[in-house]
Each structure stands twice: as structure tokens, then as C-alpha cells.
Amino acid sequence: MTLEKINVVWIQGQGCTGCTVSVTGGTNPDLINVFTGFLPQIEGINLVYHPTIMVPWGEAASKILDDVINGKYDPFVLVVEGAVPDEKKAQETGGYYCGVGEIDGKMMLFDDVLLKLSKRAGVVVAVGACASFGGIPHGNPNPTGAKGVINFLGKDYKSGLGLPVINLPGCPPSGETIIEALGHLVLTARGALPVPELDADNRPVFLYGPKVHEICPRAGYFAGGKYSSEFGEPYCMGMLGCKGIITHCQVPKKGFVEGAGGCTTVGGICIGCTEPEFPDEPFSPFLQKAPVGPYASEAMEDMVAKVKAVLSRLLSRKI
Ligand code: SF4
Ligand code: SF4
């Protein structure tokens, strides 16, 4: 991948365009700064294709996508928003589930476009719960056979830069999360940063390391045993169905837009939208309490830590 120019191709499958809305609300830097080259470290980013915010439309837009497929924009970063449906299921009853545009009178199907682009892409980034793990479209009973990009391309898939699919789940992820991740990858491509460490679900650890419960602004109330019994109260939302104890997400700490907002911060519960099982069990029903196991093991660890803290205070302290 050249240092000067990095092409970005953003395609959308089964989704609600919420990730696109979210990224347009990103700040520090915002999209204007990213695309105008205001930040020297990440200048040279060229958004080649994005069905929602690009200027060309109709067949002119499809022609650009066709050109990408045929190599005109190599090398490029492929960003995928939305799940991938099983078009074989659609064929059983006729028609198709997910077309992305017509060219020469023929519909381009999302799964076919994704497969072709994945063979040329320097990096593949799955943005949002749908592209990462299937999200809402793959929720039980999953009528379209929807799946995330990694399940569609296969766990052994490697991009042109030798990277697996990088997942940025969330429904949607915050704009900050998306821009931070893409910015990091641009700097990785330019040799300025190492490849981000990924967790077992291919999420960058620097963005998805902590559990919501560990960084929640209501964690002090949880530790003190104060629980909200109805929405609107300021205490821990665990009794109202919060799944923060089994969910990895930075939103409670970093907010949603420019440090403001965030689910538990503003009085909502965490519904686990960054986790592979979302929106199915154990994250649904959304208002059902989280499984007791993680709380029990946390309580045990807590007790041990408290005993250690008391014992350490009994020991003399060298100054
Ligand atoms: S259960 Fe939810 S609201 Fe309570 S401290 Fe944990 S993450 Fe915050
Ligand atoms: S706090 Fe929970 S519900 Fe909110 S964005 Fe993060 S994972 Fe999703």
C-alpha cells in the first residue's frame, strides 16, 4: 500500500445505515478533517465509493464499484457495513435479498461484490454489529441466513496486507470508535503504528478491551449495592436488565459524540450490542437480568481483593 494515497471503499449490505450516520457524527477528528487532509498523519484518504454519501448515483455509482472490482482503485481499504444474507435461500423462492446496484441491466448482489472486493482489498474492516457478527438481521430465527463478514469469508481469510477481518461491532459503534480504528489502520499501513492487537472476536483491544461494567459511571453504586428499581433513577441498572458485566465496549468511558452520551451514562441499560450473540441470548430479552455467574465470580474476586487490602494495611509501611 502506498504511503501517499489510501483509497477507501465502503459497501453496505443488510443494515440500517446507522453506522454511516454514526461515523458522520465522529469528532476528534471529524470526517471533514479526515477527507480534507487537515491532519497530516492521515492525509491522502480518498473515499472512492460510499452508497450513502457519494455524489454519483444510479448506474454511475455502480460503474465505480465495477471499476474497483476490476482493479482500478487498488490498493484500497474495504469497509463493510451490514450483514451478508444467504442468497441461495432467496433463490429457493425466486428473487434476491440484497442488491447494491444495477450495471448493464443486471443487479449486482452484495455477497458477490463482497467476495470479489475481498480478493483485492489491502484491509477489510467490518463496521457495526451486522457486518461483524450478523447483528439484528441474524437474530433468531434469522430468515435470510444472515451472517457477519468473517463467517462469510471464512476464519482463515487474510487481506492483501495479511490481516484478518477487523471487527468494529456496535449497533452502531460510536463515530469516535470507527474513526479511531480507521485512523490507526491508516497509520499501520504507513508503517507508523503496529497492527492493532485483536481479541478472540477480532476486535481491536485498544477499543474493546474493558468491560462496560468496569468503566461504567454507575459502577460505584454497584459496588455500594445501590440499584435503580425503575428507569430514571441514578443508580446501577443491573436489576433493570443491564448486560454491562458481559459486554466489551468503550462507550461508557468515552461517550458517544465528543465525550457526551453513552448508554448507562444517560440512564439506559447496556444491551450488549458489541458481542457476537447480540441480539439473542444472553442479551435478550433486553430487560431480563444478566446471567448471575459473572456477578458471582466478580463478587468472589472482590472479596479476595478486599481481604488483601485490609491485610496490607495491617503490615508496616516503609516510607
Ligand atoms: S450493571 Fe450496568 S449500570 Fe450497573 S455498574 Fe454494571 S454496567 Fe453500570
Ligand atoms: S454500552 Fe452496551 S449497549 Fe451501549 S454501545 Fe456499548 S455495548 Fe452497545
Side-chain angles (χ1 to χ4, degrees), residues 170-172 212 247-252 256 263-264 269-274:
C171 195
V212 169
T247 302
H248 299 79
C249 175
Q250 66 166 352
V251 162
F256 218 85
C263 309
T264 58
I269 56 169
C270 170
I271 56 173
C273 72
T274 57

Side-chain angles (χ1 to χ4, degrees), residues 68-79:
V68 179
I69 289 169
N70 289 313
K72 187 173 171 189
Y73 293 96
D74 286 356
F76 61 89
V77 172
L78 178 63
V79 182

Side-chain angles (χ1 to χ4, degrees), residues 212-213 216 218-219 222 235-238 242-245 264 270 295:
V212 169
H213 193 63
C216 176
R218 296 173 187 242
F222 170 81
Y235 313 115
C236 170
M237 308 288 282
C242 183
K243 308 293 192 301
I245 197 156
T264 58
C270 170
Y295 286 113

Side-chain angles (χ1 to χ4, degrees), residues 91-173:
Q91 282 163 12
E92 286 165 13
T93 49
Y96 54 86
Y97 287 138
C98 193
V100 294
E102 284 187 14
I103 191 153
D104 300 329
K106 197 166 170 249
M107 181 57 73
M108 304 164 88
L109 296 184
F110 176 68
D111 64 343
D112 189 44
V113 167
L114 170 59
L115 192 60
K116 285 173 177 159
L117 292 179
S118 71
K119 291 178 179 156
R120 309 198 80 99
V123 181
V124 177
V125 183
V127 169
C130 305
S132 298
F133 307 124
I136 295 286
H138 99 309
N140 189 26
N142 192 0
T144 62
K147 54 177 76 158
V149 175
I150 207 161
N151 276 346
F152 175 71
L153 295 179
K155 290 229 180 287
D156 296 330
Y157 169 82
K158 290 278 186 300
S159 67
L161 277 183
L163 301 178
V165 175
I166 293 172
N167 287 331
L168 305 179
C171 195

